Amino acid sequence: MHRQTFLIVFVLSFVYGQDRKINSQLNPGCDTCTSDQTLVYVQAYGSKDTIHQVWDFTRGPPTIIYAITSLNSSLSIKWDEATPVKFTFTEPPKYSFAAAIDQIYEYDDIKDIGHFDTSSPQRAHTLKHMSWRLNDSVLTDKEAKVVLQGRYRNDWSSGIVNIKLDILPFKDYATDLPHLIHTANSTLVDLSLVNLTTSHDFNSSRFALHFILVSTDSETDTMRYTMRKSLDDEHTPGVFEIVEIKTPESYRNGDGGFIQYRPVAYTAPKRDVSSSTNTHISTFNNTNLPIRSTLNVFYRGYLQNNLLSQEMFMSFGYGAPPVEGFSLFVIIIISVGLGVPVLLALSGVVYVVARRLKQTNARTRLANEE
C-alpha cells in the first residue's frame, strides 16, 4: 500500500475577443451557504458579448460551465437552501460548453502502457461523495481565483484533492509549471491528487480522471482530439507537445470550447523535469448527463438533439486555443545561432571575391604597362 501524489494542469476556454472586464460573485443569491458550499459566477464583458462562467462544487464533482450571450445579458440562480436548482438567463445563450470531473479511477496497469484500459482491474471513486472547503479566494476586477480542498466523506484512505481555478483578464503564461498560456477567456485549472492510497492487491496502480464534456452542438457530432508539436520547450522543459480537445464548433469554425494541456503531470509538490510523468487520454464516448448534477440542472430544457454529451478518461473556453509563439529570448538565441554562421559565411565570400577582383585588377594593370 502506497500513497501517491499527482499534479495536473489544464486550461478550459471560450475565445470571443481578447480584451475583457471581469466581475465575479461567490454564491450569488444564496443566504444559507457556508464555506462548505462554493459556486462562483464570473462575467467577462467584451465589446460585443459577455462570457458567463459558473464554477460549481456544491454537488461534489467540480464543474465548469461556459455560456456566451449578448453584452447586456445576465444570469440568476435559484437555490434550495445551499444547492442550485435553476439557472435563468435574461436571454438564451448563443453557445455553451462545460466540463466536469465526476470520478477518479484507480486501475492496475498490468501491461505498463500508461493508458487507461477498461479491461484492467479497476476501482471507481465517485466525487459526488466529496466535500469541498474553500481555502482561499480572490474575486476582484483584476482576477477571479478560488482554491479548494476536497475530502471524501467516506474517508478514502485520507486522500485529498486540491483544485485551483483562476481567471486573469490578460494573455500571459501561468507562473507554475507547466506554464500554460492563458487569456481573459480561459480558466486555468490546477488539480492535485494528494496522498491517495493505492490498493494492496494492485501491482501497478495508476490513476485516471473521468471527464464529462458537454456542448450545445449536435448530438450526432463528436469532440476532437489534436496534438500540436512545438520546437520550444522553454516554458515546459522536456515537453514538446500541446494537447487540445475541441468541441465541434471550435474544430470547424474556431469559436467553440476547448480544453488545452501539456501531456505531463508531476509526482511531487516541487514541479520539475525529475518529477514529471506522461499523461494520456482515451477516446470519446457518448454518455448521459448525471441526473443529480449541476450539468443536468443547467442544461435542462435544451433539446436533446442540440446537446452533445461525451465522456473521456485522462490518465497519468470558446474558440481556437491560443497558440504559443517563441519568446523574445528564444528568438534572439535562434537569431544569434543562425545569424553568426551566416554572417561568417558571407564575410568569407566577400573576402574571396574581393581578393580575386584585386588579383584581376593587378594583372590588368601589368598587361597595360607592357
Side-chain angles (χ1 to χ4, degrees), residues 291-311:
I291 296 176
R292 297 185 178 181
S293 68
T294 300
L295 290 178
N296 192 49
V297 172
F298 186 89
Y299 289 105
R300 186 182 299 149
Y302 278 84
L303 295 176
Q304 190 63 35
N305 59 351
N306 291 331
L307 194 64
L308 174 62
S309 175
Q310 296 190 302
E311 64 178 355

Side-chain angles (χ1 to χ4, degrees), residues 315-331:
S315 55
F316 8 96
Y318 198 81
V323 178
E324 291 190 346
F326 291 113
S327 68
L328 179 60
F329 175 75
V330 172
I331 291 174

Side-chain angles (χ1 to χ4, degrees), residues 100-328:
I101 304 173
D102 68 332
Q103 295 182 85
I104 298 175
Y105 279 76
E106 180 192 3
Y107 65 102
D108 196 5
D109 189 14
I110 300 173
K111 300 177 183 178
D112 194 29
I113 59 175
H115 295 270
F116 180 77
D117 186 350
T118 54
S119 65
S120 299
Q122 59 190 259
R123 291 185 175 90
H125 302 274
T126 176
L127 270 65
K128 69 180 181 181
H129 299 309
M130 179 164 282
S131 60
W132 296 91
R133 175 167 289 273
L134 182 63
N135 285 347
D136 187 25
S137 65
V138 177
L139 302 174
T140 68
D141 60 349
K142 300 185 182 302
E143 182 179 14
K145 180 181 74 172
V146 292
V147 180
L148 295 101
Q149 183 179 87
R151 293 181 178 272
Y152 276 91
R153 298 189 185 99
N154 60 1
D155 193 32
W156 174 36
S157 305
S158 301
I160 297 172
V161 179
N162 293 324
I163 189 167
K164 179 177 73 172
L165 304 180
D166 199 5
I167 293 178
L168 294 165
F170 54 87
K171 186 176 181 179
D172 200 357
Y173 287 91
T175 56
D176 298 322
L177 280 173
H179 300 306
L180 291 175
I181 192 170
H182 62 78
T183 70
N185 309 310
S186 61
T187 300
L188 185 67
V189 182
D190 197 308
L191 180 72
S192 304
L193 311 180
V194 182
N195 289 336
L196 297 187
T197 304
T198 58
S199 300
H200 67 276
D201 56 334
F202 284 3
N203 294 319
S204 184
S205 284
R206 297 185 188 273
F207 290 93
L209 302 176
H210 182 254
F211 283 77
I212 297 178
L213 307 177
V214 185
S215 69
T216 51
D217 292 284
S218 171
E219 66 171 347
T220 61
D221 217 323
T222 185
M223 305 287 177
R224 264 63 169 206
Y225 162 89
T226 61
M227 178 180 287
R228 291 192 290 105
K229 298 287 186 178
S230 172
L231 297 176
D232 182 10
D233 71 336
E234 175 192 5
H235 299 285
T236 314
V239 182
F240 295 90
E241 297 88 21
I242 300 173
V243 175
E244 295 167 352
I245 300 165
K246 300 180 181 181
T247 65
E249 184 68 16
S250 176
Y251 181 78
R252 286 193 298 266
N253 302 317
D255 54 3
F258 68 87
I259 296 176
Q260 182 186 71
Y261 72 98
R262 295 273 191 173
V264 62
Y266 300 93
T267 58
K270 184 179 180 181
R271 306 179 190 186
D272 53 33
V273 175
S274 63
S275 65
S276 63
T277 184
N278 292 332
T279 64
H280 307 275
I281 69 168
S282 69
T283 56
F284 304 107
N285 297 305
N286 289 344
T287 188
N288 296 318
L289 298 183
I291 296 176
R292 297 185 178 181
S293 68
T294 300
L295 290 178
N296 192 49
V297 172
F298 186 89
Y299 289 105
R300 186 182 299 149
Y302 278 84
L303 295 176
Q304 190 63 35
N305 59 351
N306 291 331
L307 194 64
L308 174 62
S309 175
Q310 296 190 302
E311 64 178 355
M312 73 166 194
F313 291 91
M314 178 190 292
S315 55
F316 8 96
Y318 198 81
V323 178
E324 291 190 346
F326 291 113
S327 68
L328 179 60

Side-chain angles (χ1 to χ4, degrees), residues 46-104:
S47 59
K48 297 180 180 179
D49 51 59
T50 300
I51 293 178
H52 306 261
Q53 293 193 40
V54 175
W55 304 342
D56 181 65
F57 295 83
T58 59
R59 297 174 185 267
T63 302
I64 301 174
I65 302 172
Y66 285 79
I68 185 165
T69 67
S70 66
L71 186 59
N72 298 319
S73 179
S74 61
L75 169 67
S76 62
I77 304 172
K78 181 180 179 181
W79 298 79
D80 180 6
E81 294 184 350
T83 303
V85 294
K86 189 175 183 180
F87 296 86
T88 305
F89 284 93
T90 54
E91 66 175 53
K94 301 174 183 177
Y95 190 85
S96 183
F97 166 63
I101 304 173
D102 68 332
Q103 295 182 85
I104 298 175

